[in-house]
């Protein structure tokens, strides 16, 4: 049976979260020919600026710049991501079984929003339950950008690696060198005019603060110094890598 082209799936609550946290990683891996996907859990209907359709249009443009293979957006309730809600958990289980990702990461900007706090727990539960064949996972409401995989859902799925964007004050387990993808990450962020541009009637928010872009650059350079490269994005993994051979790339 054909399998979806999904080496990496990044799950985040709102459009733009993945670009903020892991846009460089996605573009870097896409440039290496990997199948990279994003899943937005909500349509962002509670956003201070822009409606869900405008944000989805922005997400589509950003997805093209990052070289994503595909992106889907569920319609879980914005502001109420809940890791103990069965409907929400089985929706994510369905995504895992449908895309069959090798790696699964979550990408919420740390501690900025209750959905950002809840998403790693929701995904952790779904990753575990996706392996249980007696758990049914009906297809949730979703809209798609890019390739929609032609194959059917797997009955069960266990990803190889599960992790989260590393919090600023935590110790990373892994870095991705995003030096060559930095300009593309900024270009992807530029697609979200409704979220990052503070002009006209836009409400002031944390992410349309002019200093936000400076903080992102500071973080990328900070992780880069730790990794021995110009700019990096950092991950916290659930479990430690176990090697059976030397890596094919040098460690910086
Ligand atoms: Zn968000």
């Amino acid at each position: 049976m054909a399998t979806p082209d999904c080496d990496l799936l990044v799950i985040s609550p709102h459009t733009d979260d993945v670009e903020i946290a892991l846009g460089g990683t996605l573009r870097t891996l896409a440039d290496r020919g990997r199948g990279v996907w994003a899943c937005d859990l909500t349509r962002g209907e509670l956003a201070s600026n822009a409606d869900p359709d405008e944000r989805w249009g922005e997400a589509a443009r950003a997805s093209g710049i990052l070289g994503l293979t595909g992106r889907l957006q569920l319609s879980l309730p914005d502001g109420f991501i809940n890791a103990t809600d069965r409907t929400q958990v089985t929706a994510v289980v369905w995504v895992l079984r449908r895309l069959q990702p090798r790696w699964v990461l979550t990408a919420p900007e740390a501690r900025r929003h209750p959905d950002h706090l809840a998403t790693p727990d929701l995904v952790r539960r779904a990753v575990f339950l996706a392996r249980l064949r007696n758990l049914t996972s009906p297809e949730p409401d979703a809209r798609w950008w890019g390739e929609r995989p032609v194959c059917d859902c797997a009955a069960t799925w266990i990803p190889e690696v599960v992790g989260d964007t590393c919090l600023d004050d935590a110790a990373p387990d892994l870095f991705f060198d995003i030096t060559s993808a930095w300009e593309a990450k900024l270009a992807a962020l530029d697609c979200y005019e409704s979220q990052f541009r503070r002009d006209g009637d836009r409400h002031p928010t944390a992410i349309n603060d002019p200093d936000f872009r400076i903080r992102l650059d500071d973080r990328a350079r900070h992780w880069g110094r730790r990794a021995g490269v110009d700019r990096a994005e950092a991950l916290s993994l659930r479990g430690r890598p176990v090697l059976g051979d030397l890596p094919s790339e040098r460690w910086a």
Side-chain angles (χ1 to χ4, degrees):
M1 188 177 78
T3 55
D5 178 21
C6 185
D7 295 298
L8 172 67
L9 168 65
V10 184
I11 300 175
S12 44
H14 316 106
T15 59
D16 78 24
D17 290 328
V18 64
E19 286 84 0
I20 292 170
L22 292 173
T25 298
L26 288 171
R27 174 58 188 259
T28 299
L29 295 178
D31 285 345
R32 302 294 292 268
R34 298 295 187 183
V36 289
W37 282 75
C39 173
D40 311 315
L41 295 174
T42 80
R43 298 191 170 189
E45 64 271 18
L46 297 185
S48 302
N49 294 307
D51 63 30
D53 289 341
E54 183 178 355
R55 295 188 72 183
W56 181 241
E58 293 172 338
R61 290 193 290 280
S63 301
I65 287 173
L66 293 179
L68 300 191
T69 304
R71 182 174 195 139
L72 76 163
Q73 185 180 66
L74 306 182
S75 56
L76 304 189
D78 189 12
F80 296 90
I81 294 299
N82 181 349
T84 62
D85 181 305
R86 184 184 181 109
T87 301
Q88 294 191 30
V89 174
T90 57
V92 178
V93 168
W94 183 87
V95 172
L96 296 171
R97 290 172 173 173
R98 183 70 200 265
L99 296 181
Q100 299 158 45
R102 291 182 56 197
W103 283 44
V104 178
L105 302 175
T106 69
E109 172 78 358
R111 296 176 180 151
R112 198 170 60 78
H113 187 295
D115 288 347
H116 294 196
L117 295 172
T119 293
D121 287 340
L122 174 68
V123 172
R124 186 177 294 119
R125 186 182 293 260
V127 163
F128 182 84
L129 294 177
R131 74 192 64 188
L132 305 181
R133 63 187 177 87
N134 285 336
L135 178 81
T136 57
S137 51
E139 180 172 350
D141 183 31
R143 52 184 171 186
W144 297 73
W145 174 89
E147 262 179 56
R148 187 167 175 157
V150 292
C151 56
D152 295 330
C153 271
T156 62
W157 188 250
I158 302 176
E160 295 171 25
V161 173
V162 183
D164 308 293
T165 305
C166 186
L167 302 179
D168 286 339
D169 55 357
D173 296 312
L174 196 72
F175 296 106
F176 276 105
D177 177 3
I178 63 160
T179 304
S180 65
W182 181 248
E183 293 303 322
K185 172 168 176 157
L186 295 183
L189 293 174
D190 284 341
C191 295
Y192 291 95
E193 277 191 32
S194 73
Q195 303 304 302
F196 296 116
R197 186 173 292 182
R198 185 180 292 185
D199 57 10
D201 297 329
R202 305 286 188 205
H203 294 282
T205 67
I207 62 173
N208 69 20
D209 185 317
D211 285 344
F212 183 71
R213 192 69 70 97
I214 296 170
R215 291 199 295 274
L216 281 186
D217 192 42
D218 285 347
R219 179 185 295 151
R221 288 181 179 277
H222 170 73
W223 292 136
R225 281 192 296 277
R226 293 278 302 274
V229 298
D230 186 23
R231 289 184 176 86
E233 289 169 345
L235 299 179
S236 298
L237 301 181
R238 303 175 199 172
R240 295 292 174 270
V242 179
L243 302 181
D245 193 2
L246 298 179
S248 59
E249 290 189 23
R250 280 183 67 92
W251 286 358

